[in-house]
Every structure is written in structure tokens, then in C-alpha cells.
Amino acid sequence: MSKVVIDQPSAAHAIIGDRLDKSMDKIAHALHWVSNNSDIIVGYALNIVSAIIIIIVGMMLARFISSLVHKALKSRNIDSTVANFIAHMARYILVAFAFIAALSKIGVQTTSFIALIGAAGLAVGLALQGSLSNFASGILIIILRPFKAGEYIEVSGIAGTVETVQIFATTIVTIDNKSVVIPNSSILSGNIINYSRKSTRRIDLLIGVSYRADLAQTKDVLEKALLANTRVLKSPKIEVAVAELGDSSVNLVVRPWVKTADYWSVRFEVIEAIKNALDEANIEIPFPQMDVHTNK
């Protein structure tokens, strides 16, 4: 019985050689394809490089413009929260445009992509209609600046000092230290009274005296009581005049001018001074009375 002897090294060499031949064929085929499509490949490569450059330049430009916007807003003393928000929004919008331009450069059809973004934006806008109204109102408040942080205002029936002006709402601190958050759309939909914008304010008082009082003496007493307060301004000139003949009193308007920062403290002081001055001059301040008659 004969034995068959297999040359193992020769078989291994044959397998390796066969694999190398196949690999060389694939490489040759790939090189042939590259040679035949070199223009297309170079074009795509250039487009990809251009897209990368567009994204890099766009991001750098977005960062630069965002910084400029932030500095411009801060130079106008706009609240830092609002300035940061607007600066970041500008940056994100510019970056989005850069990515869309890059996609267009590499051949991606951005028309449908933009339409999809627009449809999504419309749906989100309808869902957040109230919030967008507050957002738009916040932008208008920033641009028009009817008030700023630290000023005393009256809006939506609330009076107080503005603490912060944010993009969706404004926070006001009332005299009794309540923090009230008011949506910006509610602020712009009504009247805005800014008590701090001007450097001076007029105190309006209505003082009633008896019909038996001497009006010339009464006016003189009132003027002296006002001028005794050093924080009452000499100009504009104070005004003391008869306003009306009431049911039980002669009513006089008393109108001194003060610095805006001194308004409330001086108002309280002059009211007390007027009461004391009228008492010292024996000028009666009438008050409502009721006469009751009984049958015996």
C-alpha cells in the first residue's frame, strides 16, 4: 500500500499567491477607476475642503459678530442677561447659515432642508405664540428703552422699581418689597409711566380749609411751610392756588417741585409741615361731620 505525500509549503505558497493576485487585481481596478474619475474625485475633494473652510470661517465670524453685539448692548447699559441672550442668538443663527452653506457646497439639496426648518419653526411658533409675543415685546423694550433697571415705573397696574429686564418678562420690586414678574407683552400693550426718567418731579397736594379762613393768610402759611423744607426746589416756582369750592371746604392746590430721588420723603415731610403750620395759624381744616337731630 503506497502513501501520498503532500508538499505543504508548496500548497501554502499557492494559496498566498492566489490571494495576492486577487488583491493586486482589486488595487489595479481601483486605480483604474480613480484614473477614469479623477476629475470627479478632485472636484468632490475641493468641495469638501471648501465646506470645511466655510464652517470654520463661519464659526469664527459668528463668534466675532456675537462679541460685537454683546459689547454694543452692554455699552447701552442693557441688562447683562438680555445682552448675553441676544449675542448667543446672533451667533447660533450665523453658525446655522454657515452649515447650510457648507451642505450646499458639497451638493446637498438645502432647499427642502430649509423648507423643513421653516415648517418646524412655524409649528413651534404656533405652539409658543404667547412666548414669542413676550420675546418680540422684550426686543422692542430693549430697542425703545422706555425704562431700565433701577427706575421706578408703573405698568399693568403695578408700581415699583425695575429689578431686571429679561427677554420674556420684566421683574419689578414694589414699595413693600414684593417681587412681581410681568410678561413683556402685557407691558407694551398698556401705558408705561416712568417716574424716574426726569430729574425733577412735582408733588401735587389738595389741601382743604374752612370757608371762614382768610385765603391770603392761608396761601402765605402754606408757602412758608413749603419753603422751610430745604429739599423743596426754588425753581420751578412752587404753586399755591385755590382749586375749587367744595361742599364743606375751600380746596387749594399745593405744588412744590423736588428732585426725583427725594419725592416720597419730601412729600411726607411737607404734609406734616402743612398740618402743623395751619394749626399754629389757627386755620381750620374741616372734616366730614354729620348732624343728628332727635325728637324729644
Side-chain angles (χ1 to χ4, degrees):
M1 186 174 181
S2 62
K3 294 183 179 180
V4 177
V5 180
I6 300 175
D7 190 354
Q8 292 182 352
S10 299
H13 289 159
I15 294 172
I16 293 172
D18 183 59
R19 291 180 178 178
L20 286 174
D21 290 340
K22 291 181 179 180
S23 298
M24 292 301 295
D25 289 340
K26 290 180 179 179
I27 292 172
H29 181 73
L31 292 174
H32 180 71
W33 183 89
V34 168
S35 177
N36 291 336
N37 298 276
S38 58
D39 293 339
I40 298 175
I41 294 173
V42 171
Y44 271 116
L46 290 176
N47 288 338
I48 291 173
V49 172
S50 299
I52 294 173
I53 293 174
I54 289 173
I55 292 175
I56 294 173
V57 173
M59 294 181 69
M60 294 174 61
L61 185 62
R63 188 181 297 109
F64 176 72
I65 294 177
S66 174
S67 178
L68 287 181
V69 170
H70 186 268
K71 290 179 180 178
L73 294 175
K74 291 295 290 182
S75 66
R76 300 188 63 185
N77 296 322
I78 292 175
D79 185 82
S80 59
T81 303
V82 178
N84 291 334
F85 180 84
I86 294 177
H88 282 91
M89 284 293 296
R91 181 177 177 180
Y92 295 148
I93 291 173
L94 291 174
V95 169
F97 276 117
F99 271 99
I100 292 175
L103 290 175
S104 177
K105 190 65 179 178
I106 61 177
V108 177
Q109 295 296 325
T110 57
T111 304
S112 57
F113 183 71
I114 295 173
L116 180 63
I117 294 177
L122 178 61
V124 173
L126 292 174
L128 301 175
Q129 186 174 2
S131 298
L132 291 178
S133 176
N134 290 327
F135 175 81
S137 298
I139 296 297
L140 289 176
I141 290 174
I142 293 170
I143 296 174
L144 300 177
R145 298 187 68 187
F147 55 83
K148 60 183 180 180
E151 291 185 332
Y152 187 85
I153 66 171
E154 182 178 347
V155 291
S156 300
I158 304 296
T161 303
V162 179
E163 184 176 44
T164 58
V165 181
Q166 298 178 345
I167 202 65
F168 291 106
T170 297
T171 303
I172 292 177
V173 179
T174 61
I175 295 178
D176 55 348
N177 206 32
K178 293 178 182 177
S179 182
V180 183
V181 179
I182 305 176
N184 287 331
S185 59
S186 299
I187 293 175
L188 285 188
S189 63
N191 296 327
I192 301 174
I193 303 175
N194 192 329
Y195 295 101
S196 300
R197 187 57 55 93
K198 300 297 182 180
S199 60
T200 59
R201 283 186 63 186
R202 189 182 71 184
I203 298 175
D204 291 337
L205 300 174
L206 188 66
I207 305 298
V209 298
S210 171
Y211 272 93
R212 293 187 295 271
D214 184 301
L215 293 181
Q217 178 194 10
T218 301
K219 292 168 68 175
D220 183 65
V221 169
L222 292 175
E223 289 179 2
K224 289 180 179 179
L226 295 176
L227 294 174
N229 192 309
T230 57
R231 291 192 290 177
V232 172
L233 302 177
K234 304 300 185 294
S235 179
K237 187 179 179 181
I238 62 175
E239 182 179 9
V240 178
V242 177
E244 61 183 6
L245 302 177
D247 294 335
S248 59
S249 64
V250 178
N251 297 324
L252 295 90
V253 289
V254 178
R255 295 171 176 170
W257 287 83
V258 297
K259 292 182 179 179
T260 300
D262 297 334
Y263 178 84
W264 286 108
S265 57
V266 175
R267 181 184 177 92
F268 299 146
E269 290 173 4
V270 297
I271 290 176
E272 182 178 352
I274 286 172
K275 171 63 169 64
N276 293 332
L278 291 176
D279 288 344
E280 290 177 4
N282 294 320
I283 297 174
E284 181 184 355
I285 301 176
F287 53 89
Q289 301 183 43
M290 179 181 295
D291 293 332
V292 179
H293 301 277
T294 59
N295 296 323
K296 293 184 180 179

